[in-house]
Amino acid sequence: MKFRGNFVCQPRAGPAESRPTRPFTPRPSATGSLFMSNQHFVSPDLIRQGFSRAMSDMYREEVPLYGALMELVAEVNAQVLERQPALARHLQSSGELQRLDLERHGAIRVGSAAELATLARLFAVMGMQPVGYYDLTPAGVPVHSTAFRAVHEAALQVSPFRVFTSLLRLELIDNPELRSFAEQVLARRQIFTPQVLELIQQAEAAGGLDAEDAERFIRQALETFRWHHHATVTAAQYASLSAQHRLIADVVAFKGPHINHLTPRTLDIDEVQRLMPARGITPKAVIEGPPRRECPILLRQTSFKALEESVAFTDQAQSQGSHSARFGEIEQRGAALTPKGRELYDRLLNAARDALGDFPNEANAQRYNQLMQEHFREFPDSHPAMREQGLAYFRYFVSETGLAARNQPQRPTTLAALLAAGHLSAEPLVYEDFLPVSAAGIFQSNLGDDSQSHYAGQSNRQAFEAALGRPTLDELQLYAQTQQRSLEHCAATLGLPAL
Ligand code: OOG
Ligand code: NI
């Protein structure tokens, strides 16, 4: 990794601190800059935080409904925190409360290996690495994907911004003429500004960017994700790409990989879903992911339909065409599951879907919710049970009692005994990633149900990683490492050899 150890302002919120993690706010310097300039390089985490804000501002301007959604989510989150003081305390001690308003993910789709590889370098400047491999072809969407995000708990605390990034699998287009047309169009476009390419190179060579360059980087990087009103193909070419798959037209026919949604995190997705229609937002019928529970797990998501936007094709003087790509989405995040927990989740989800016998849709939504509730009764719904059965990852904290008893000879020394005596507490790790079945549901609802295709292609992680120019990281390993670091920190604080 290029960036090592010289981060500025990295808040090292020790997991063993019993007092709540402090919210992190960068102080503006004398020049009004977002970044501290007392050291040479700006922390990649702060660049990511600044970029995430700039992206949100841009999207709010481009898609007014996003602004309305953000307001609704903020209102519901405030109500939940007021009504559930225990939840507020949990979120405070895990540090999630402090990052809640900053939290969002976006999604883009790119068309070639070269574009993906450069994106990986662009995201690395902001401390984001490719985590996980998602194959969407079994769901009839000709892409495979990864999520660029920060990987260390301290970095996630500064900005948990993530980008679900998909690469179009042109090899799955069965019409050879259309395939080579798409390849040619993609080969001709440049989705990065010359300045951002220079800044990426500079960051790689020098090991970082100073405050001024970091701000220029944010402005220039943003250009890649902007919406372009002018298409790069004729109306007829657009129509034939779209006839193959609407997603292919979305990737190939435009100047760049416009950000297609930006998703805030809510503490009560059912409540936001219920209130959406009154704000002029119509959500999809079914919430993706696990059912509602006392102790949320993984990720629940719902989206609203893409907007029809006017576009100008190359053979048209004015905006006579239209295209729909951009949509809205909300999500509720819960505990990260261990391989055992994930297996149980997948089994119960599949069983509920098998019992439904069809893709969840408007007509069968009620029955689907009922089936999900029934099947998921098998998944323990309390943190102690999930912890004892090894279903979720946790972070451990030393309590005041634990600190006070540190020097007593009779104190407990095993993890279970320390937890039972209240010397340690445990908070589940928040799930930072995505779910392939849910992502397929989100893709489909926004592309229209008529766009389901069947692809013979195999899942091809190797080809994806070759295009990316590096391997993707295993998210389960990242959670296990965070859990392990917290155990080590607790052991050190209590003066115990290991836990
Ligand atoms: C990405 C769809 C998947 C999610 O949150 O799972 C997604 C896309 O439409 O490009 O956003
Ligand atoms: Ni999404």
PDB file of all heavy atoms in Angstrom, residues 105 107-109 164 166 260-261 301 327 329 331 434-435 438-439 442-443, ligand 1:
ATOM      1  N   HIS A 105     -23.798   5.737   0.928  1.00  0.00           N
ATOM      2  CA  HIS A 105     -23.064   5.058  -0.138  1.00  0.00           C
ATOM      3  C   HIS A 105     -23.611   5.490  -1.484  1.00  0.00           C
ATOM      4  O   HIS A 105     -24.750   5.933  -1.597  1.00  0.00           O
ATOM      5  CB  HIS A 105     -23.111   3.526   0.019  1.00  0.00           C
ATOM      6  CG  HIS A 105     -24.355   2.879  -0.526  1.00  0.00           C
ATOM      7  ND1 HIS A 105     -25.337   2.346   0.267  1.00  0.00           N
ATOM      8  CD2 HIS A 105     -24.777   2.664  -1.805  1.00  0.00           C
ATOM      9  CE1 HIS A 105     -26.303   1.836  -0.485  1.00  0.00           C
ATOM     10  NE2 HIS A 105     -25.997   2.018  -1.755  1.00  0.00           N
ATOM     11  N   ALA A 107     -23.354   4.578  -6.000  1.00  0.00           N
ATOM     12  CA  ALA A 107     -23.065   3.492  -6.933  1.00  0.00           C
ATOM     13  C   ALA A 107     -22.779   4.040  -8.320  1.00  0.00           C
ATOM     14  O   ALA A 107     -23.372   5.032  -8.748  1.00  0.00           O
ATOM     15  CB  ALA A 107     -24.229   2.506  -6.997  1.00  0.00           C
ATOM     16  N   ILE A 108     -21.832   3.390  -8.988  1.00  0.00           N
ATOM     17  CA  ILE A 108     -21.509   3.735 -10.372  1.00  0.00           C
ATOM     18  C   ILE A 108     -21.289   2.446 -11.161  1.00  0.00           C
ATOM     19  O   ILE A 108     -21.072   1.378 -10.579  1.00  0.00           O
ATOM     20  CB  ILE A 108     -20.237   4.615 -10.493  1.00  0.00           C
ATOM     21  CG1 ILE A 108     -19.057   3.957  -9.783  1.00  0.00           C
ATOM     22  CG2 ILE A 108     -20.472   6.006  -9.962  1.00  0.00           C
ATOM     23  CD1 ILE A 108     -17.738   4.627 -10.090  1.00  0.00           C
ATOM     24  N   ARG A 109     -21.339   2.582 -12.492  1.00  0.00           N
ATOM     25  CA  ARG A 109     -21.109   1.436 -13.380  1.00  0.00           C
ATOM     26  C   ARG A 109     -20.121   1.877 -14.446  1.00  0.00           C
ATOM     27  O   ARG A 109     -20.333   2.908 -15.090  1.00  0.00           O
ATOM     28  CB  ARG A 109     -22.434   1.048 -14.048  1.00  0.00           C
ATOM     29  CG  ARG A 109     -23.557   0.838 -13.061  1.00  0.00           C
ATOM     30  CD  ARG A 109     -24.911   1.114 -13.671  1.00  0.00           C
ATOM     31  NE  ARG A 109     -25.987   0.938 -12.691  1.00  0.00           N
ATOM     32  CZ  ARG A 109     -27.257   1.236 -12.951  1.00  0.00           C
ATOM     33  NH1 ARG A 109     -27.620   1.702 -14.135  1.00  0.00           N
ATOM     34  NH2 ARG A 109     -28.166   1.062 -12.016  1.00  0.00           N
ATOM     35  N   PHE A 164     -20.432   1.410  -4.395  1.00  0.00           N
ATOM     36  CA  PHE A 164     -20.672   0.121  -5.038  1.00  0.00           C
ATOM     37  C   PHE A 164     -20.345   0.316  -6.516  1.00  0.00           C
ATOM     38  O   PHE A 164     -20.978   1.112  -7.205  1.00  0.00           O
ATOM     39  CB  PHE A 164     -22.138  -0.273  -4.851  1.00  0.00           C
ATOM     40  CG  PHE A 164     -22.448  -1.698  -5.250  1.00  0.00           C
ATOM     41  CD1 PHE A 164     -22.271  -2.731  -4.345  1.00  0.00           C
ATOM     42  CD2 PHE A 164     -22.919  -1.999  -6.520  1.00  0.00           C
ATOM     43  CE1 PHE A 164     -22.563  -4.046  -4.700  1.00  0.00           C
ATOM     44  CE2 PHE A 164     -23.210  -3.307  -6.886  1.00  0.00           C
ATOM     45  CZ  PHE A 164     -23.030  -4.338  -5.967  1.00  0.00           C
ATOM     46  N   SER A 166     -19.626  -1.217 -10.318  1.00  0.00           N
ATOM     47  CA  SER A 166     -19.883  -2.367 -11.191  1.00  0.00           C
ATOM     48  C   SER A 166     -19.151  -2.216 -12.515  1.00  0.00           C
ATOM     49  O   SER A 166     -19.056  -1.117 -13.062  1.00  0.00           O
ATOM     50  CB  SER A 166     -21.384  -2.471 -11.476  1.00  0.00           C
ATOM     51  OG  SER A 166     -22.092  -2.591 -10.266  1.00  0.00           O
ATOM     52  N   ASN A 260     -25.318   7.002  -9.695  1.00  0.00           N
ATOM     53  CA  ASN A 260     -26.732   6.735  -9.971  1.00  0.00           C
ATOM     54  C   ASN A 260     -27.623   6.747  -8.728  1.00  0.00           C
ATOM     55  O   ASN A 260     -28.835   6.761  -8.835  1.00  0.00           O
ATOM     56  CB  ASN A 260     -26.914   5.471 -10.812  1.00  0.00           C
ATOM     57  CG  ASN A 260     -26.480   4.205 -10.080  1.00  0.00           C
ATOM     58  OD1 ASN A 260     -26.763   4.025  -8.910  1.00  0.00           O
ATOM     59  ND2 ASN A 260     -25.799   3.315 -10.795  1.00  0.00           N
ATOM     60  N   HIS A 261     -27.049   6.734  -7.552  1.00  0.00           N
ATOM     61  CA  HIS A 261     -27.803   7.032  -6.335  1.00  0.00           C
ATOM     62  C   HIS A 261     -26.844   7.281  -5.192  1.00  0.00           C
ATOM     63  O   HIS A 261     -25.666   6.912  -5.263  1.00  0.00           O
ATOM     64  CB  HIS A 261     -28.786   5.924  -5.966  1.00  0.00           C
ATOM     65  CG  HIS A 261     -28.151   4.606  -5.600  1.00  0.00           C
ATOM     66  ND1 HIS A 261     -27.596   3.766  -6.522  1.00  0.00           N
ATOM     67  CD2 HIS A 261     -27.993   3.987  -4.404  1.00  0.00           C
ATOM     68  CE1 HIS A 261     -27.141   2.681  -5.913  1.00  0.00           C
ATOM     69  NE2 HIS A 261     -27.359   2.782  -4.624  1.00  0.00           N
ATOM     70  N   GLN A 301     -32.585  -2.529   2.758  1.00  0.00           N
ATOM     71  CA  GLN A 301     -32.562  -1.433   1.787  1.00  0.00           C
ATOM     72  C   GLN A 301     -33.867  -1.335   1.019  1.00  0.00           C
ATOM     73  O   GLN A 301     -34.505  -2.348   0.735  1.00  0.00           O
ATOM     74  CB  GLN A 301     -31.476  -1.690   0.720  1.00  0.00           C
ATOM     75  CG  GLN A 301     -30.081  -1.792   1.262  1.00  0.00           C
ATOM     76  CD  GLN A 301     -29.115  -2.241   0.179  1.00  0.00           C
ATOM     77  OE1 GLN A 301     -29.212  -3.341  -0.324  1.00  0.00           O
ATOM     78  NE2 GLN A 301     -28.184  -1.375  -0.179  1.00  0.00           N
ATOM     79  N   PHE A 327     -31.607   7.103  -9.291  1.00  0.00           N
ATOM     80  CA  PHE A 327     -32.700   6.780  -8.390  1.00  0.00           C
ATOM     81  C   PHE A 327     -32.312   7.122  -6.955  1.00  0.00           C
ATOM     82  O   PHE A 327     -31.256   7.703  -6.713  1.00  0.00           O
ATOM     83  CB  PHE A 327     -33.108   5.317  -8.539  1.00  0.00           C
ATOM     84  CG  PHE A 327     -32.015   4.312  -8.252  1.00  0.00           C
ATOM     85  CD1 PHE A 327     -31.939   3.690  -7.019  1.00  0.00           C
ATOM     86  CD2 PHE A 327     -31.082   3.968  -9.222  1.00  0.00           C
ATOM     87  CE1 PHE A 327     -30.950   2.731  -6.751  1.00  0.00           C
ATOM     88  CE2 PHE A 327     -30.088   3.030  -8.964  1.00  0.00           C
ATOM     89  CZ  PHE A 327     -30.025   2.417  -7.727  1.00  0.00           C
ATOM     90  N   GLU A 329     -32.359   5.762  -2.689  1.00  0.00           N
ATOM     91  CA  GLU A 329     -32.339   4.533  -1.883  1.00  0.00           C
ATOM     92  C   GLU A 329     -32.089   4.922  -0.431  1.00  0.00           C
ATOM     93  O   GLU A 329     -31.453   5.932  -0.158  1.00  0.00           O
ATOM     94  CB  GLU A 329     -31.214   3.628  -2.402  1.00  0.00           C
ATOM     95  CG  GLU A 329     -31.130   2.263  -1.762  1.00  0.00           C
ATOM     96  CD  GLU A 329     -29.827   1.549  -2.105  1.00  0.00           C
ATOM     97  OE1 GLU A 329     -28.759   2.209  -2.064  1.00  0.00           O
ATOM     98  OE2 GLU A 329     -29.866   0.361  -2.396  1.00  0.00           O
ATOM     99  N   GLU A 331     -31.094   2.949   3.529  1.00  0.00           N
ATOM    100  CA  GLU A 331     -30.639   1.683   4.088  1.00  0.00           C
ATOM    101  C   GLU A 331     -30.585   1.763   5.602  1.00  0.00           C
ATOM    102  O   GLU A 331     -30.444   2.828   6.188  1.00  0.00           O
ATOM    103  CB  GLU A 331     -29.259   1.323   3.531  1.00  0.00           C
ATOM    104  CG  GLU A 331     -28.161   2.286   3.949  1.00  0.00           C
ATOM    105  CD  GLU A 331     -26.821   1.963   3.325  1.00  0.00           C
ATOM    106  OE1 GLU A 331     -26.792   1.251   2.304  1.00  0.00           O
ATOM    107  OE2 GLU A 331     -25.803   2.427   3.860  1.00  0.00           O
ATOM    108  N   PHE A 434     -22.255  -4.941   1.281  1.00  0.00           N
ATOM    109  CA  PHE A 434     -23.512  -5.041   0.537  1.00  0.00           C
ATOM    110  C   PHE A 434     -23.942  -6.505   0.476  1.00  0.00           C
ATOM    111  O   PHE A 434     -23.205  -7.388   0.917  1.00  0.00           O
ATOM    112  CB  PHE A 434     -23.322  -4.469  -0.878  1.00  0.00           C
ATOM    113  CG  PHE A 434     -23.041  -2.991  -0.866  1.00  0.00           C
ATOM    114  CD1 PHE A 434     -21.748  -2.511  -0.702  1.00  0.00           C
ATOM    115  CD2 PHE A 434     -24.075  -2.077  -0.964  1.00  0.00           C
ATOM    116  CE1 PHE A 434     -21.491  -1.148  -0.650  1.00  0.00           C
ATOM    117  CE2 PHE A 434     -23.839  -0.710  -0.912  1.00  0.00           C
ATOM    118  CZ  PHE A 434     -22.539  -0.253  -0.764  1.00  0.00           C
ATOM    119  N   LEU A 435     -25.119  -6.753  -0.077  1.00  0.00           N
ATOM    120  CA  LEU A 435     -25.624  -8.123  -0.182  1.00  0.00           C
ATOM    121  C   LEU A 435     -26.006  -8.389  -1.634  1.00  0.00           C
ATOM    122  O   LEU A 435     -26.777  -7.608  -2.212  1.00  0.00           O
ATOM    123  CB  LEU A 435     -26.854  -8.294   0.716  1.00  0.00           C
ATOM    124  CG  LEU A 435     -26.596  -8.134   2.217  1.00  0.00           C
ATOM    125  CD1 LEU A 435     -27.912  -8.016   2.984  1.00  0.00           C
ATOM    126  CD2 LEU A 435     -25.772  -9.307   2.755  1.00  0.00           C
ATOM    127  N   SER A 438     -29.798  -8.594  -2.466  1.00  0.00           N
ATOM    128  CA  SER A 438     -30.413  -7.276  -2.317  1.00  0.00           C
ATOM    129  C   SER A 438     -30.011  -6.361  -3.466  1.00  0.00           C
ATOM    130  O   SER A 438     -30.850  -5.658  -4.034  1.00  0.00           O
ATOM    131  CB  SER A 438     -29.967  -6.621  -1.007  1.00  0.00           C
ATOM    132  OG  SER A 438     -30.331  -7.396   0.092  1.00  0.00           O
ATOM    133  N   ALA A 439     -28.720  -6.376  -3.796  1.00  0.00           N
ATOM    134  CA  ALA A 439     -28.237  -5.510  -4.883  1.00  0.00           C
ATOM    135  C   ALA A 439     -28.959  -5.862  -6.179  1.00  0.00           C
ATOM    136  O   ALA A 439     -29.360  -4.970  -6.931  1.00  0.00           O
ATOM    137  CB  ALA A 439     -26.726  -5.657  -5.052  1.00  0.00           C
ATOM    138  N   ILE A 442     -32.297  -4.283  -6.130  1.00  0.00           N
ATOM    139  CA  ILE A 442     -32.219  -2.829  -6.341  1.00  0.00           C
ATOM    140  C   ILE A 442     -31.996  -2.545  -7.828  1.00  0.00           C
ATOM    141  O   ILE A 442     -32.671  -1.705  -8.434  1.00  0.00           O
ATOM    142  CB  ILE A 442     -31.063  -2.214  -5.509  1.00  0.00           C
ATOM    143  CG1 ILE A 442     -31.224  -2.508  -4.017  1.00  0.00           C
ATOM    144  CG2 ILE A 442     -30.914  -0.731  -5.789  1.00  0.00           C
ATOM    145  CD1 ILE A 442     -32.233  -1.697  -3.273  1.00  0.00           C
ATOM    146  N   PHE A 443     -31.057  -3.253  -8.434  1.00  0.00           N
ATOM    147  CA  PHE A 443     -30.806  -3.096  -9.873  1.00  0.00           C
ATOM    148  C   PHE A 443     -32.111  -3.302 -10.641  1.00  0.00           C
ATOM    149  O   PHE A 443     -32.502  -2.492 -11.469  1.00  0.00           O
ATOM    150  CB  PHE A 443     -29.810  -4.157 -10.377  1.00  0.00           C
ATOM    151  CG  PHE A 443     -28.369  -3.702 -10.440  1.00  0.00           C
ATOM    152  CD1 PHE A 443     -27.417  -4.232  -9.575  1.00  0.00           C
ATOM    153  CD2 PHE A 443     -27.946  -2.799 -11.394  1.00  0.00           C
ATOM    154  CE1 PHE A 443     -26.080  -3.856  -9.646  1.00  0.00           C
ATOM    155  CE2 PHE A 443     -26.615  -2.421 -11.485  1.00  0.00           C
ATOM    156  CZ  PHE A 443     -25.682  -2.947 -10.598  1.00  0.00           C
TER     157      PHE A 443
HETATM  158  C1  OOG B   1     -26.112  -0.652  -7.914  1.00  0.00           C
HETATM  159  C2  OOG B   1     -27.241  -1.391  -7.275  1.00  0.00           C
HETATM  160  C3  OOG B   1     -26.868  -2.034  -5.949  1.00  0.00           C
HETATM  161  C4  OOG B   1     -26.983  -1.585  -3.428  1.00  0.00           C
HETATM  162  O1  OOG B   1     -27.045  -0.730  -2.522  1.00  0.00           O
HETATM  163  O2  OOG B   1     -27.004  -2.791  -3.206  1.00  0.00           O
HETATM  164  C5  OOG B   1     -26.903  -1.093  -4.815  1.00  0.00           C
HETATM  165  C6  OOG B   1     -26.467   0.003  -9.216  1.00  0.00           C
HETATM  166  O3  OOG B   1     -27.653   0.109  -9.552  1.00  0.00           O
HETATM  167  O4  OOG B   1     -25.534   0.440  -9.915  1.00  0.00           O
HETATM  168  O5  OOG B   1     -26.877   0.088  -4.934  1.00  0.00           O
END
